[in-house]
Amino acid sequence: MAGTATTQERILDLAQQFIQERGYNGFSFRDLANGVGVKSSSIHYYHASKTHLALAVTSRYRKNFAAATAQLRKEIPAAPDLLKAYAQIFKSTFEDGKKVCLCAMLASDRDSIEEAVTDQVRAFFADQYGWLSSVVTDGISQGTVRDNVRPDDFAVLFFSALEGAMMVANANDRSADIDLVADQMIGLVLQTA
Amino acid sequence: MAGTATTQERILDLAQQFIQERGYNGFSFRDLANGVGVKSSSIHYYHASKTHLALAVTSRYRKNFAAATAQLRKEIPAAPDLLKAYAQIFKSTFEDGKKVCLCAMLASDRDSIEEAVTDQVRAFFADQYGWLSSVVTDGISQGTVRDNVRPDDFAVLFFSALEGAMMVANANDRSADIDLVADQMIGLVLQTA
DNA sequence: GTCTATAAGATGATAGAC
DNA sequence: GTCTATCATCTTATAGAC
């Protein structure tokens, strides 16, 4: 399962999974150590504190997400198809073990987390707004998106709705809600609607 | 501030606030006891366990929300105005101390919470879907909402987007995002758009 | 109805051996 | 790089006094 992965990678993988499933306050160094198969002191060897661990996980998540969205940009030309593919990233994350967005979890736990982590969460949100906004702007130029749609505002709407959809999908065990939400929003801005 | 409130009420008030701000795992009976001004054993007198406490808070929240939305129905006739007023409930909750929806927090912490609490969360979501769906159905009859909008689907979209908007608004300290999201969605289904 | 006292276990973290 | 051993503190929860 994690045959070639280093201990360091397996720690980050499981920490990310725990935050996505239980939140920052929902797991301990011991849980992590047990899952990885080492002692909790070994976790401290790699990450001085829980805050440092959260920062490492968040920074990696942000980087991976940026790579994935950049790749979509290279492969898919039409804006509506890009939005659909973007929503599929969220849906896949959810179906891969009923996990919601890492940064949504950390944003929820904000009041019990150090500010440096929230800074990373905000940076992730800004990344997403930038990508979505540029996709919509291109869509208007292409003629695939209605020209009365405001890219920055729609980016906030699309992203918020997707994050909210993951939250309710998780509570209701209904991943189809993610498609339901994404498809409605894409339909509403389509030039041909 | 809480001059006439009973200890029981003050416990529920603060417990709700803590869950909304920090999540279910982000506060302890001690925090609660210190805030209310009693000992943690007194919290146990009213609520046998943390699960029971969460159930009491959630059940009261659901009841209060039902009363508030029923009242809106009596006072406001037009569907778009009702949707706007509904969104204002969320915005007010947020501005009253940067709090997000209680049930959104509990839904996020689902994997570390007993199923009975999640049942209440799901019931709350179902309440909201029912109310929103009926408002949109009436809006179509009134002619204030476009007749190609599907009430059940739009209820999921509107609610998900509002919940997601609160989450990002909280991370970014930007309550205006809640209006931004609500106004765009209402605009998109308006008959006169 | 609220308290003191206490239990048994979990928590993040550290020092030092191998 | 990973371990054992230990820490002070916090956790939910209970028994019984006032």
Side-chain angles (χ1 to χ4, degrees):
Chain A
M1 195 214 246
T4 58
T6 64
T7 299
Q8 164 75 304
E9 287 167 337
R10 279 154 60 216
I11 290 172
L12 288 179
D13 287 345
L14 190 57
Q16 177 176 332
Q17 183 187 323
F18 278 162
I19 296 175
Q20 288 182 271
E21 286 175 354
R22 317 181 189 174
Y24 181 80
N25 296 306
F27 74 102
S28 71
F29 272 53
R30 271 181 172 73
D31 296 332
L32 208 45
N34 288 343
V36 171
V38 294
K39 295 294 165 180
S40 68
S41 50
S42 298
I43 312 288
H44 279 285
Y45 169 74
Y46 294 101
H47 306 282
S49 71
K50 205 176 182 184
T51 296
H52 285 87
L53 172 64
L55 281 172
V57 170
T58 313
S59 152
R60 190 186 65 157
Y61 185 80
R62 205 182 145 202
K63 195 153 50 181
N64 289 345
F65 226 94
T69 51
Q71 186 62 27
L72 290 185
R73 270 295 221 173
K74 281 189 214 153
E75 294 172 352
I76 304 175
D81 295 338
L82 274 167
L83 293 177
K84 181 72 185 166
Y86 182 84
Q88 284 305 305
I89 298 179
F90 284 74
K91 196 190 178 194
S92 302
T93 299
F94 177 77
E95 288 178 338
D96 174 24
K98 295 255 176 61
K99 292 196 289 261
V100 306
C101 173
L102 175 84
C103 290
M105 291 301 278
L106 291 172
S108 296
D109 290 337
R110 178 182 177 184
D111 285 6
S112 49
I113 293 184
E114 289 197 31
E115 194 67 8
V117 179
T118 303
D119 286 342
Q120 281 291 312
V121 170
R122 277 191 280 251
F124 172 79
F125 289 167
D127 291 345
Q128 305 316 306
Y129 289 165
W131 189 88
L132 286 167
S133 181
S134 92
V135 165
V136 171
T137 300
D138 286 3
I140 295 173
S141 302
Q142 292 169 346
T144 53
V145 172
R146 291 199 342 245
D147 61 7
N148 63 341
V149 174
R150 291 162 61 174
D152 288 355
D153 292 353
F154 184 76
V156 175
L157 172 62
F158 193 78
F159 183 73
S160 298
L162 269 185
E163 291 282 12
M166 289 190 91
M167 188 272 292
V168 298
N170 186 36
N172 284 327
D173 296 315
R174 206 160 50 198
S175 73
D177 279 358
I178 299 173
D179 283 325
L180 189 71
V181 164
D183 289 345
Q184 281 185 89
M185 280 187 300
I186 295 169
L188 289 169
V189 297
L190 274 185
Q191 177 59 24
T192 51
Chain B
M1 194 214 244
T4 58
T6 64
T7 298
Q8 163 75 305
E9 286 166 339
R10 279 154 60 215
I11 289 171
L12 288 179
D13 287 344
L14 190 58
Q16 178 177 330
Q17 183 187 324
F18 278 162
I19 296 174
Q20 288 181 273
E21 286 175 354
R22 318 180 187 176
Y24 181 81
N25 296 306
F27 75 101
S28 70
F29 273 53
R30 251 198 188 82
D31 297 332
L32 208 45
N34 289 342
V36 172
V38 294
K39 296 293 164 182
S40 68
S41 49
S42 298
I43 312 288
H44 279 285
Y45 169 74
Y46 293 101
H47 306 283
S49 70
K50 204 176 182 183
T51 295
H52 285 86
L53 172 64
L55 281 172
V57 169
T58 313
S59 152
R60 191 186 65 157
Y61 184 81
R62 204 183 146 202
K63 197 152 49 181
N64 289 345
F65 226 95
T69 50
Q71 186 62 27
L72 290 184
R73 270 296 221 174
K74 280 189 213 153
E75 294 172 353
I76 304 175
D81 296 337
L82 274 167
L83 294 176
K84 181 71 185 165
Y86 183 83
Q88 284 305 306
I89 297 179
F90 285 75
K91 197 191 177 193
S92 302
T93 299
F94 177 76
E95 289 179 336
D96 174 25
K98 297 256 176 61
K99 293 196 289 260
V100 306
C101 173
L102 176 85
C103 290
M105 290 301 280
L106 290 171
S108 296
D109 291 337
R110 178 183 177 185
D111 284 6
S112 48
I113 291 184
E114 289 197 32
E115 194 67 8
V117 179
T118 301
D119 286 343
Q120 281 291 313
V121 170
R122 277 191 279 252
F124 172 79
F125 290 167
D127 291 344
Q128 305 315 308
Y129 289 165
W131 190 88
L132 285 167
S133 181
S134 92
V135 164
V136 171
T137 300
D138 286 4
I140 295 173
S141 303
Q142 290 168 348
T144 53
V145 172
R146 291 196 346 241
D147 62 6
N148 63 341
V149 173
R150 291 161 61 175
D152 288 354
D153 292 354
F154 184 75
V156 175
L157 171 62
F158 193 78
F159 183 74
S160 297
L162 269 185
E163 291 282 12
M166 290 190 89
M167 187 272 292
V168 298
N170 186 37
N172 285 327
D173 295 315
R174 207 161 49 197
S175 73
D177 279 358
I178 299 173
D179 283 325
L180 189 72
V181 165
D183 290 345
Q184 280 185 89
M185 280 187 300
I186 294 170
L188 288 168
V189 297
L190 275 184
Q191 176 59 24
T192 51

